[in-house]
Structures are given as C-alpha cells and as structure tokens.
Amino acid sequence: MAAQTTLTIRIDEDIKAAAKMRAADLGLSLSALVTNQLRRFVNGAPVVIDDDSLIPSPATRQARAQALADYRAGDYVVLAGADDVARYDPASDA
C-alpha cells in the first residue's frame, strides 16, 4: 500500500455535514468518498461541475485565452520576487 498523506481543504460547513451524512448512508467515510473521487480524476474520469458559480464568465474565459496566447508567444515578464513586483511598471511594456 502506498504511503498516505493528509489533504486539508476549506469547504462550507453545511456542504461538509451534508456530504458526511450522505457518505454515511452509503456506508462510506467522507475520506473514502473524497479518495475515490480523486482516484477517478487521476485516472481520467470526466469532471462534472454543476454549480454555475464555479464556471468562469465569458470575460474571464476571454482574458484567460489572451493570457495563454501571450504566454505561448513569449510575451510575458518574469518577476523574481517582491522587490521586482514593487518596481514593476506595466506601462513600460507598452
């Protein structure tokens, strides 16, 4: 058996309680349920997101696409630390 580790996540208390109850109804621990879902994810099972609040808006998708295109074209700046960030002037890249 592979070594185990701890995963800490932040989640709404109500969701955790409801998930724990539902898992118990199935005879599972919450840990077993989460482990199973992560295993499925790692093995390529589809990810289903049915909460619209988690789906990026069209503007966010467009900004992400532009950022990815810029990155692939090499159009980005590497900032090595807090001092670089503090001194960086985006207008100098225009």
Side-chain angles (χ1 to χ4, degrees), residues 10-41:
R10 296 203 181 279
I11 189 164
D12 184 82
E13 289 179 20
D14 295 338
I15 293 174
K16 180 183 176 185
K20 194 172 184 178
M21 285 177 43
R22 182 136 187 241
D25 288 346
L26 297 172
L28 298 170
S29 67
L30 197 50
S31 178
L33 179 71
V34 171
T35 299
N36 180 66
Q37 289 303 107
L38 288 173
R39 187 176 290 118
R40 288 175 40 83
F41 173 71

Side-chain angles (χ1 to χ4, degrees), residues 1-93:
M1 179 177 200
Q4 294 189 344
T5 188
T6 299
L7 173 66
T8 303
I9 62 171
R10 296 203 181 279
I11 189 164
D12 184 82
E13 289 179 20
D14 295 338
I15 293 174
K16 180 183 176 185
K20 194 172 184 178
M21 285 177 43
R22 182 136 187 241
D25 288 346
L26 297 172
L28 298 170
S29 67
L30 197 50
S31 178
L33 179 71
V34 171
T35 299
N36 180 66
Q37 289 303 107
L38 288 173
R39 187 176 290 118
R40 288 175 40 83
F41 173 71
V42 168
N43 290 329
V47 175
V48 178
I49 298 175
D50 61 359
D51 181 350
D52 289 343
S53 70
L54 299 176
I55 299 172
S57 68
T60 301
R61 287 194 300 268
Q62 182 179 4
R64 181 190 179 278
Q66 183 62 54
L68 187 57
D70 291 347
Y71 174 77
R72 287 182 174 154
D75 185 14
Y76 59 91
V77 176
V78 176
L79 303 173
D83 290 339
D84 282 356
V85 172
R87 287 190 303 266
Y88 177 66
D89 177 14
S92 67
D93 292 334

